[in-house]
Amino acid sequence: MLTVQQAVFTVEGLIGKVQQQKQLIHQLIQENEHLRQENKQLRKENEQLKHRVQELEARTKKNSSNSHLPPSSDRFEKKRSSREPSGKKPGGQEGHEGTTLRQVEHPHHRVVHRVHTCQGCGASLRDV
């Protein structure tokens, strides 16, 4: 059996515990409200970002073949040639390597082309 002193102490302890719980509940309510506001803001920001991503994706899908944009604005697609490969080696014809004109250090002969009149004004260049 409890004595009166033990009962009073127990009631005071319970009152203290109730006060602590009341403070904790108040703190949790404030924290909950703060988190709700933050969640609301983040949802709004998320919607804005989703909209921006849709805009950017739509922009990258546009090119000169499906919009009014000029071909110079085609940035993201690799240009492919419509020509099909012939299977031949690139370069000139075989056996014609020696017929290409190349500059040599000592030529066999030289041809000098003299200009006698200015093509712009027609003045004589013989004395120059």
Side-chain angles (χ1 to χ4, degrees), residues 71-92:
S72 61
S73 68
D74 292 347
R75 296 175 294 231
F76 301 108
E77 285 189 25
K78 203 173 194 181
K79 299 205 181 340
R80 292 180 289 167
S81 173
S82 60
R83 294 177 58 188
E84 294 184 16
S86 64
K88 296 179 182 178
K89 286 180 18 180

Side-chain angles (χ1 to χ4, degrees), residues 12 16 20-21 38 40 45 53 69 74 85 90 101 103 107 118:
E12 287 174 357
Q20 286 177 348
Q21 294 295 322
E38 186 178 15
K40 185 178 180 181
E45 187 177 331
V53 166
L69 299 172
D74 292 347
L101 296 177
Q103 187 173 2
C118 174

Side-chain angles (χ1 to χ4, degrees), residues 80-117:
R80 292 180 289 167
S81 173
S82 60
R83 294 177 58 188
E84 294 184 16
S86 64
K88 296 179 182 178
K89 286 180 18 180
Q93 296 174 342
E94 290 183 29
H96 290 269
E97 294 86 21
T99 60
T100 303
L101 296 177
R102 291 193 176 86
Q103 187 173 2
V104 294
E105 195 169 326
H106 303 288
H108 297 298
H109 64 280
R110 295 184 332 170
V111 176
V112 179
H113 295 277
R114 299 209 185 268
V115 179
H116 300 291
T117 58

Side-chain angles (χ1 to χ4, degrees), residues 22-37:
K22 201 176 191 182
Q23 287 176 349
L24 180 62
I25 289 170
H26 180 69
Q27 182 183 4
L28 291 173
I29 288 172
Q30 286 180 336
E31 185 179 342
N32 189 357
E33 183 59 33
H34 173 73
L35 291 173
R36 285 178 190 264
Q37 290 296 327

